[in-house]
Amino acid sequence: MDAELGEDVVTEILARLPARSLARFQCVSTSWRRIISSDYLRRMLPLITSGVLYHDGPRGGGDDGARRAYTYACAPDGGGVAEAGDMAFFPRHNASTIIDGCNGLLLYYASRPAAFHVVNPTTRRWAALPAPRARTLLSVLAFDPCASPHYKVVCFTGWLPRGATIEVFDSERGAWRDHEVDFGIDTDAMSATMHYSGGALHVLAYSGHVVRLDLGTMACAVTALPAPVSCRARAGHCRGRLRFASSDGTRLRIWELEDADAGDWALKHEIGVSDVVPGGSSQAITFLFMAFHPEREVVYLWSPWKLLAFDLVEKRVEEEWAFGSDKEGAHLIQIWLFPFSRHLANALA
């Protein structure tokens, strides 16, 4: 078939298939696997906009991950109703809780006995991690589908006056390693709002800083922010540059870090309720910033009970996803967009 159609035609056909089908069709032939694994095909494919974590309210706590039950939802291309993902393929789904997600992978945790699993909803594969040595206080998943099929799980196991003890699981090595990190600022100022990009965790601090924790060297760098940090503030990356979003629920300001060494930020965008909902009343409508598009001037906003993709240049909503009447108590936690790539397809192989 490949010889009859030609590689260019086969590539065009494959580029129109769903990501899950591509992951499965790598097994058809060596030529298909080579085409599907190529960066050329990856660049032709749209970003997958299906990573949405939300929860329906607080849950009785204790161990890490037990305080909030996260649900993974799929946001279909073109908008529509976001439906909870079918995770029945993972046998520990009902016995575990989703506690984090990163660029197409989900982190599950079960407390009795303590067990971590990393799950790939796109390829419907999963991996069990060896048990960590210490009790975890906060756990984060780090995965970059453009760089490698490997991932890391970072568990904060204790707090120091200006740092923390952590255990890091590296899927490439298949083992946990202990580390001690120095944040460079008082630990009491650190928030739990984190963003992973470029091999580092970027953690917002209420002292008005962002701390970059390099997961390769475990070194931290502190950068002052252009505005105070609140529970609505978020950090993210667009076109490889760090951005900071600050919102009061009716107005959103976005800055970009132009010079990391000098700590220079530039205000890139400012929008209000009237931009998102023309004619809307600021007293009746609010929105929360959720994420940056990694390549375009688009942001994702949560306005009960909808997720909106808002074009910052055109000042218009280009897509929206409803969570349905049965999700009226839902609170969005995290969303992500990620490219289908050979690393995503091969993660947890």
Side-chain angles (χ1 to χ4, degrees):
M1 176 180 172
D2 294 5
E4 294 176 4
L5 295 178
E7 187 169 304
D8 290 344
V9 176
V10 172
T11 301
E12 292 293 334
I13 293 172
L14 292 176
R16 289 163 170 76
L17 295 177
R20 286 181 180 175
S21 298
L22 284 175
R24 191 167 61 250
F25 290 166
Q26 289 189 110
C27 301
V28 170
S29 67
T30 55
S31 62
W32 279 36
R33 180 177 180 83
R34 177 173 51 78
I35 293 172
I36 292 171
S37 298
S38 71
D39 286 333
Y40 173 73
L41 178 61
R42 178 181 65 80
R43 288 192 293 268
M44 293 178 63
L45 296 169
L47 291 170
I48 301 171
T49 321
S50 59
V52 179
L53 291 182
Y54 68 90
H55 71 86
D56 293 324
R59 174 178 168 181
D63 293 322
D64 176 54
R67 288 182 290 277
R68 293 186 293 188
Y70 291 6
T71 299
Y72 172 78
C74 301
D77 291 338
V81 177
E83 299 179 353
D86 179 11
M87 302 299 294
F89 69 90
F90 174 48
R92 297 294 303 275
H93 172 66
N94 292 327
S96 306
T97 300
I98 300 173
I99 59 172
D100 198 19
C102 186
N103 293 325
L105 299 184
L106 300 176
L107 179 63
Y108 276 79
Y109 178 79
S111 58
R112 295 180 180 84
F116 285 99
H117 289 82
V118 176
V119 180
N120 187 334
T122 302
T123 60
R124 302 172 75 85
R125 294 195 291 257
W126 67 92
L129 275 59
R133 290 180 288 272
R135 181 177 180 271
T136 65
L137 306 174
L138 177 67
S139 303
V140 183
L141 178 63
F143 173 61
D144 183 352
C146 290
S148 166
H150 300 292
Y151 58 87
K152 293 181 179 180
V153 176
V154 182
C155 293
F156 292 83
T157 58
W159 305 117
L160 305 173
R162 290 173 61 87
T165 55
I166 62 176
E167 277 190 87
V168 179
F169 177 82
D170 188 329
S171 66
E172 188 172 12
R173 297 187 179 94
W176 294 90
R177 286 191 176 183
D178 296 316
H179 301 274
E180 185 174 305
V181 296
D182 181 351
F183 295 140
I185 59 175
D186 290 343
T187 299
D188 289 345
M190 300 287 280
S191 77
T193 302
M194 303 183 188
H195 162 71
Y196 175 73
S197 179
L201 288 177
H202 299 78
V203 189
L204 295 183
Y206 291 115
S207 58
H209 298 86
V210 58
V211 178
R212 184 183 187 274
L213 169 57
D214 189 309
L215 296 183
T217 65
M218 295 299 155
C220 292
V222 181
T223 302
L225 290 166
V229 173
S230 70
C231 61
R232 299 176 185 269
R234 296 288 186 274
H237 279 76
C238 181
R239 299 190 181 98
R241 287 199 169 190
L242 180 65
R243 290 190 171 189
F244 175 68
S246 179
S247 169
D248 61 6
T250 61
R251 194 146 203 86
L252 172 68
R253 293 177 176 87
I254 295 171
W255 289 266
E256 183 173 274
L257 182 60
E258 294 191 329
D259 187 334
D261 293 332
D264 292 338
W265 296 84
L267 182 64
K268 298 289 290 186
H269 302 282
E270 186 170 353
I271 61 173
V273 165
S274 60
D275 297 307
V276 180
V277 185
S281 168
S282 60
Q283 284 73 37
I285 302 172
T286 61
F287 59 82
L288 293 175
F289 173 87
M290 295 304 304
F292 294 101
H293 192 291
E295 298 172 357
R296 299 171 53 217
E297 295 296 326
V298 171
V299 292
Y300 292 80
L301 309 173
W302 170 243
S303 181
W305 295 276
K306 293 180 179 180
L307 175 63
L308 309 173
F310 185 80
D311 188 316
L312 293 166
V313 177
E314 300 294 333
K315 293 288 196 299
R316 65 179 180 85
V317 174
E318 62 175 28
E319 287 185 284
E320 66 177 57
W321 299 270
F323 276 72
S325 59
D326 60 329
K327 301 293 189 299
E328 291 188 354
H331 175 62
L332 222 60
I333 296 299
Q334 180 182 357
I335 78 164
W336 62 87
L337 295 88
F338 50 92
F340 178 83
S341 68
R342 64 182 183 275
H343 299 313
L344 176 65
N346 294 334
L348 313 181

